[in-house]
Amino acid sequence: MIDILLFAFLMLTALGILRLRDLFAAAMLSSLFSLLAASLFMVMDAVDVAFTEAAVGAGISTILMLATLAITKRQEKARKRQLRPGPALLVLACGAMLIYGTLDMPHFGTADAPVHTYLAPRYLEVSPIEVGPPNIVTSVLASYRGYDTFGETTVVFAAAVGVLLLLGGRRRFRDAGWDITMGVDLREVQEIVARRQEGLKLPEGDP
Amino acid sequence: METIVSNFLGLYNYWAVVVLMMMGLYVLTAERNLVKKVIGLNIFQMSVIMFYISMAKIKDGTAPIIVDGARDTVYSNPLPHVLMLTAIVVGIGTTALALALVVRIHEEFGTIEEDEIQEQEGRG
């Protein structure tokens, strides 16, 4: 019952994001969306996914979004709100196909659905003996599917490098009008350092 | 009629996921603001993750953490959980990269609206 309620809240939040013109509010709603999704994961027994979503979705991605809005613009351009026929048609077609596809899916919560018959029982039975931790998600993540996790960290590393390449570099900061020296004149600093060194001059030849 | 009702009672999770996915896809394709597009991408992504997690759920099951001595406990399927854990973390990577691109686009064009950028491109 509670999952139906949470699904309804999720849809309402998504609808709010769709309608809002204030990007700041949309970012906050997307954070709320993540939090609701995390609650729903919790209800569906995916505790690890829930806390990852709460930390990453509701936390980090909101911070990134707000930082982006601080640098760019807070408000969406005011334009006449109308349903765009092309995208609407595409979305409806995709939705109809997907609904049709779900019609012969096993019902929600069925214990003998095909998903549960292969591999999962083995993990549940032997992973506490083979790997150790009582939390099976941990043992699958770190041991049985260790290469997956390795690939994931590689992707995150690649994304981090990409972000740094896009935003890094002093020239770019200067072009954007940012003062990364925080108002300190570098030449002045050099002068002070030089004078200090003059005063503390070491005897020559000393290593 | 009866099949529709029984289907709704059994398939509502998938249908909710489909509706969320439709909203995400609409925001992604129809919105002209780039930050809004990124949010739409997040909604879309979340719907896919929700789909997998709802497949993993077993009625009256519990989180897949083994409790000593509990004999006939039903555990939900841990495998989709692992896969979606990876998907969430990769998702934040794509979001960060997309937002970095938005910042660069704003530096270059002074706007984050798709149509204004296309206008400038056409002129330039």
Side-chain angles (χ1 to χ4, degrees):
Chain A
M1 195 62 224
I2 191 161
D3 48 348
I4 296 180
L5 204 68
L6 282 170
F7 266 128
F9 274 134
L10 270 179
M11 285 183 221
L12 284 177
T13 316
L15 205 64
I17 292 171
L18 199 67
R19 298 205 57 85
L20 272 176
R21 219 182 276 282
D22 187 354
L23 293 174
F24 186 80
M28 291 329 282
L29 269 192
S30 107
S31 173
L32 176 70
F33 186 86
S34 288
L35 200 65
L36 286 168
S39 322
L40 200 47
F41 293 148
M42 193 72 218
V43 172
M44 289 179 181
D45 299 336
V47 278
D48 304 79
V49 184
F51 73 64
T52 308
E53 177 57 30
V56 167
I60 299 172
S61 83
T62 312
I63 293 172
L64 290 177
M65 209 87 79
L66 291 180
T68 307
L69 291 181
I71 299 173
T72 58
K73 288 198 173 73
R74 226 197 106 148
Q75 205 78 21
E76 198 179 333
K77 194 177 87 173
R79 52 167 83 80
K80 220 167 74 197
R81 188 167 291 284
Q82 56 193 9
L83 198 74
R84 292 178 67 186
L89 215 64
L90 171 80
V91 164
L92 282 178
C94 284
M97 276 194 279
L98 284 174
I99 294 276
Y100 177 70
T102 60
L103 288 181
D104 55 357
M105 293 274 291
H107 283 190
F108 183 45
T110 324
D112 53 357
V115 211
H116 306 305
T117 54
Y118 175 66
L119 213 55
R122 190 189 177 279
Y123 285 151
L124 287 165
E125 275 155 30
V126 285
S127 93
I129 305 154
E130 276 183 347
V131 187
N135 188 346
I136 295 164
V137 174
T138 309
S139 33
V140 176
L141 189 78
S143 178
Y144 296 110
R145 291 195 155 262
Y147 282 117
D148 255 18
T149 311
F150 176 66
E152 168 200 331
T153 42
T154 312
V155 169
V156 171
F157 176 72
V161 170
V163 170
L164 287 178
L165 284 178
L166 278 169
L167 300 179
R170 272 179 70 185
R171 183 191 57 80
R172 193 143 293 150
F173 282 105
R174 201 186 50 221
D175 288 352
W178 289 7
D179 190 3
I180 56 167
T181 60
M182 293 188 241
V184 178
D185 188 353
L186 273 181
R187 265 168 305 173
E188 219 168 273
V189 174
Q190 275 167 350
E191 216 168 274
I192 294 170
V193 171
R195 236 183 289 142
R196 276 283 171 89
Q197 280 173 342
E198 203 96 344
L200 297 171
K201 204 170 235 166
L202 298 164
E204 266 173 59
D206 207 305
Chain B
M1 190 64 214
E2 204 171 301
T3 54
I4 292 176
V5 172
S6 88
N7 269 341
F8 178 78
L9 291 178
L11 299 172
Y12 67 89
N13 60 319
Y14 303 122
W15 293 358
V17 163
V18 169
V19 171
L20 283 178
M21 172 250 141
M22 286 165 77
M23 286 189 197
L25 190 61
Y26 185 77
V27 175
L28 189 61
T29 48
E31 280 289 338
R32 290 194 169 94
N33 185 292
L34 295 178
V35 175
K36 221 41 182 311
K37 272 184 192 288
V38 176
I39 296 178
L41 187 65
N42 276 341
I43 295 177
F44 189 95
Q45 197 170 38
M46 192 51 60
S47 77
V48 176
I49 293 171
M50 199 73 77
F51 174 68
Y52 272 77
I53 298 295
S54 69
M55 279 202 298
K57 169 75 178 162
I58 296 178
K59 202 162 187 281
D60 299 322
T62 178
I65 299 171
I66 303 289
V67 185
D68 278 335
R71 271 271 137 249
D72 30 313
T73 323
V74 179
Y75 298 107
S76 287
N77 193 341
L79 189 56
H81 297 184
V82 178
L83 300 178
M84 290 309 106
L85 221 50
T86 310
I88 289 178
V89 177
V90 169
I92 188 72
T94 52
T95 306
L97 202 61
L99 288 174
L101 277 171
V102 170
V103 171
R104 276 297 288 138
I105 287 171
H106 183 257
E107 276 177 21
E108 209 67 36
F109 293 94
T111 175
I112 50 170
E113 308 286 338
E114 201 182 37
D115 44 353
E116 288 176 357
I117 293 165
Q118 276 167 346
E119 231 169 70
Q120 287 187 30
E121 281 277 81
R123 241 186 279 136

